[in-house]
């Protein structure tokens, strides 16, 4: 069914207004039941979610649901499930250990040169696999007000080691242009901040949000990257393409981070299709995330071996541009590591210096090691004199991104 049939009385102008989409988000079982019949498991999921977790989907994103199939990948991402109440091994409220690294309310600082800036606790759509459920799924955290934002900007200004700031939340594109621009302007005015990133699902869940005015505002704060979150080819609609291409046309690079979700996209065919489509949107596949140990998401997690097997199936069968890094954010704050298939097949025999490697078809090839093993770079000390190296910048610059 078309959106006009699903939402009778809605005008074209209203449908294409991102604010209308956010204001008219579906939040209750009755809202969704007007679009499609709920299963008993979905009704129980709503009952269990009441008073505990937020549920919301924009009319646009809800219109993508397959009415006849409970296993629809859109449906699985927005409909609360009774399985969320079933504990799983390793469940954590703070699965990637952010809370011990929050020096002020809006900042998470786990890596020396990067900081996460929490700009908002709300989203247009609440994904059931959310890793930051403790913030976005409840009211315990409270909103991020102007005081929290100013405190966060002041913290970044005081920490010269931070060169890369990721603005996230919640979804920062649920904010108005004016509020988002104010945050980005405050961060861009800090001399040592070299790169900004904005993490958002808006191109997927509310593509109307990506207006020419927004794209132009983001471009003013370059170098700035948008990191979005497509999980399935079903999300690759003409509206989503238009949103991504509008950003790229304005000079804002877009990268994608998918989450590996059991029964939703845990298939080499699905992920290959997704990433090949994203390349036609001019979106670069970046990470495929192993599901974090967020409490309530155990039913969506895959074994580690599943992600490695998917990468192995993709390698050699699609462009390297379409193959993301498989990332695991270690529980408790250990940071990200990446996994990949093992292509090293053994050392050279009988004194032959080198290694046997295998390709995706299992064929073995010998790579001889060079006779000279020293890999130092003699010009390094010239290009990075001691004073510049101490500041982290090359000779001839001030090391602060200007």
């Amino acid at each position: 069914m078309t959106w006009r049939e699903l939402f009778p009385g809605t005008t074209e102008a209203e449908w294409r207004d991102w604010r209308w989409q956010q204001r008219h988000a579906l939040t209750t079982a009755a809202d969704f039941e007007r679009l499609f019949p709920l299963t008993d498991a979905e009704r129980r999921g709503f009952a269990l979610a009441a008073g505990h977790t937020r549920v919301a989907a924009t009319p646009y994103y809800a219109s993508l649901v397959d009415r006849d199939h409970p296993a629809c990948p859109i449906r699985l991402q927005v409909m609360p499930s009774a399985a969320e109440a079933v504990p799983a091994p390793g469940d954590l409220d703070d699965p990637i250990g952010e809370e011990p690294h929050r020096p002020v309310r809006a900042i998470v600082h786990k890596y020396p040169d990067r900081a996460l800036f929490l700009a908002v606790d709300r989203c247009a759509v609440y994904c059931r696999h959310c890793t930051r459920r403790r913030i976005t799924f409840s009211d315990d955290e409270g909103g991020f007000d102007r005081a929290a934002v100013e405190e966060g900007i002041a913290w970044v200004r005081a920490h010269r080691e931070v060169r890369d700031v990721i603005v996230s939340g919640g979804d920062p594109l649920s904010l108005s242009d004016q509020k988002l621009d104010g945050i980005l302007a405050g961060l861009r005015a800090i001399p040592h901040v070299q790169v900004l990133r904005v993490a958002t699902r808006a191109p997927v869940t509310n593509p109307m949000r990506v207006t020419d005015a927004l794209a132009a505002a983001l471009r003013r704060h370059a170098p700035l990257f948008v990191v979005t979150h497509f999980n399935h080819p079903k999300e690759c609609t003409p509206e989503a393409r238009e949103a991504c291409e509008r950003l790229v046309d304005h000079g804002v690079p877009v990268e994608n981070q998918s989450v590996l979700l059991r029964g939703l996209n845990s298939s080499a065919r699905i992920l290959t299709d997704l990433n090949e489509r994203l390349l036609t949107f001019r979106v670069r596949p970046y990470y495929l995330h192993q599901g974090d140990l967020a409490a309530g998401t155990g039913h969506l997690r895959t074994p580690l071996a599943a992600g490695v097997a998917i990468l192995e199936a993709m390698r050699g069968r699609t462009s390297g541009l379409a193959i993301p890094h498989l990332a695991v954010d270690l529980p408790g704050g250990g940071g990200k590591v990446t996994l990949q298939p093992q292509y090293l097949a053994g050392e050279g025999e009988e004194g032959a210096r080198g290694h046997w490697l295998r390709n995706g078809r299992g064929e073995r090839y010998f790579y001889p090691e060079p006779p000279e093993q020293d890999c130092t770079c003699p010009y390094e000390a010239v290009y990075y004199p001691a004073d510049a190296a101490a500041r982290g910048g090359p000779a001839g610059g001030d090391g602060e991104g200007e």
Side-chain angles (χ1 to χ4, degrees), residues 7 25 34 42 45 54 70 105 126 135 176 182 210 231 236 242 245 258 262 264 280 282 284 331 356 361 370 383:
F7 298 93
R34 283 194 287 271
E42 288 169 338
R54 293 173 180 156
R105 192 146 172 265
Y126 293 106
I135 293 175
S176 68
V210 184
N231 284 327
C236 295
E242 182 180 349
E245 292 192 334
S258 298
R262 182 158 60 93
L264 191 155
T280 71
R282 290 177 286 164
R284 172 182 173 253
W356 285 97
R361 296 184 295 274
Y383 192 68

Side-chain angles (χ1 to χ4, degrees), residues 194-379:
Q194 298 176 359
V195 175
L196 295 174
R197 288 186 266 175
V198 175
T200 176
R201 278 211 92 185
V204 184
T205 60
N206 190 9
M208 299 77 172
R209 177 66 185 93
V210 184
T211 62
D212 285 329
L214 173 69
L218 295 176
R219 179 64 180 87
R220 285 196 297 272
H221 301 297
L224 181 148
F225 296 78
V226 164
V227 182
T228 192
H229 179 176
F230 287 84
N231 284 327
H232 193 278
K234 193 171 173 61
E235 298 170 329
C236 295
T237 64
E239 294 89 346
R241 174 190 286 272
E242 182 180 349
C244 293
E245 292 192 334
R246 177 170 287 119
L247 290 168
V248 176
D249 286 346
H250 278 79
V252 180
V254 184
E255 299 191 330
N256 187 65
Q257 299 189 65
S258 298
V259 177
L260 184 58
L261 299 167
R262 182 158 60 93
L264 191 155
N265 62 6
S266 50
S267 150
R269 180 178 182 178
I270 290 171
L271 288 171
T272 299
D273 184 12
L274 170 65
N275 290 322
E276 289 176 348
R277 292 192 195 200
L278 289 177
L279 288 176
T280 71
F281 289 16
R282 290 177 286 164
V283 173
R284 172 182 173 253
Y286 178 32
Y287 276 140
L288 173 63
H289 282 281
Q290 175 70 21
D292 294 328
L293 299 178
T297 66
H299 61 295
L300 294 171
R301 288 181 221 139
T302 65
L304 289 173
V308 174
I310 287 171
L311 288 196
E312 174 128 33
M314 293 174 72
R315 180 69 62 183
R317 293 165 176 81
T318 188
S319 163
L321 283 172
I323 302 177
H325 300 288
L326 176 61
V328 184
D329 216 327
L330 300 175
K336 287 187 182 71
V337 297
T338 55
L339 304 179
Q340 64 177 353
Q342 176 57 265
Y343 296 108
L344 193 63
E347 301 284 340
E349 294 91 2
E350 299 180 0
R353 179 178 287 178
H355 299 274
W356 285 97
L357 304 171
R358 67 172 183 85
N359 63 14
R361 296 184 295 274
E363 300 162 342
R364 287 165 52 97
Y365 296 85
F366 186 72
Y367 183 90
E369 296 282 18
E372 185 63 54
Q373 299 296 304
D374 183 8
C375 293
T376 58
C377 301
Y379 193 70

Side-chain angles (χ1 to χ4, degrees), residues 15-44:
W15 185 257
R16 296 191 64 80
D17 183 347
W18 70 270
R19 297 175 186 83
W20 184 93
Q21 290 284 341
Q22 287 194 174
R23 286 196 305 268
H24 290 80
L26 287 69
T27 60
T28 68
D31 290 340
F32 286 95
E33 193 107 51
R34 283 194 287 271
L35 302 187
F36 51 84
L38 303 188
T39 66
D40 290 342
E42 288 169 338
R43 291 191 188 91
R44 178 163 168 72

Side-chain angles (χ1 to χ4, degrees), residues 68-298:
D68 300 321
H69 293 280
C72 165
I74 310 297
R75 197 162 171 164
L76 292 176
Q77 290 183 76
V78 298
M79 301 295 285
S81 166
E84 293 177 28
V86 179
D91 273 1
L92 296 167
D93 288 332
D94 179 19
I96 55 178
E98 292 181 334
E99 291 303 319
H101 301 280
R102 286 179 76 178
V104 297
R105 192 146 172 265
I107 297 294
V108 177
H109 187 222
K110 291 170 58 178
Y111 300 95
D113 66 332
R114 278 153 285 168
L116 182 70
F117 194 105
L118 300 175
V120 63
D121 68 335
R122 301 298 172 108
C123 299
V125 170
Y126 293 106
C127 306
R128 307 319 298 176
H129 55 277
C130 181
T131 190
R132 213 165 280 139
R133 295 160 71 94
R134 71 191 189 281
I135 293 175
T136 60
F137 271 36
S138 74
D139 292 312
D140 296 341
E141 176 80 24
F144 290 85
D145 56 14
R146 182 174 178 178
V149 167
E150 291 178 349
E151 182 184 41
I153 291 172
W155 185 92
V156 175
R157 187 182 299 114
H159 289 76
R160 290 170 54 87
E161 71 275 18
V162 174
R163 62 168 189 83
D164 183 351
V165 179
I166 303 99
V167 179
S168 186
D171 194 323
L173 263 60
S174 65
L175 298 171
S176 68
D177 286 5
Q178 182 180 12
K179 288 183 178 179
L180 179 59
D181 189 62
I183 293 169
L184 296 175
L187 294 168
R188 175 50 67 215
I190 300 171
H192 56 266
V193 173
Q194 298 176 359
V195 175
L196 295 174
R197 288 186 266 175
V198 175
T200 176
R201 278 211 92 185
V204 184
T205 60
N206 190 9
M208 299 77 172
R209 177 66 185 93
V210 184
T211 62
D212 285 329
L214 173 69
L218 295 176
R219 179 64 180 87
R220 285 196 297 272
H221 301 297
L224 181 148
F225 296 78
V226 164
V227 182
T228 192
H229 179 176
F230 287 84
N231 284 327
H232 193 278
K234 193 171 173 61
E235 298 170 329
C236 295
T237 64
E239 294 89 346
R241 174 190 286 272
E242 182 180 349
C244 293
E245 292 192 334
R246 177 170 287 119
L247 290 168
V248 176
D249 286 346
H250 278 79
V252 180
V254 184
E255 299 191 330
N256 187 65
Q257 299 189 65
S258 298
V259 177
L260 184 58
L261 299 167
R262 182 158 60 93
L264 191 155
N265 62 6
S266 50
S267 150
R269 180 178 182 178
I270 290 171
L271 288 171
T272 299
D273 184 12
L274 170 65
N275 290 322
E276 289 176 348
R277 292 192 195 200
L278 289 177
L279 288 176
T280 71
F281 289 16
R282 290 177 286 164
V283 173
R284 172 182 173 253
Y286 178 32
Y287 276 140
L288 173 63
H289 282 281
Q290 175 70 21
D292 294 328
L293 299 178
T297 66

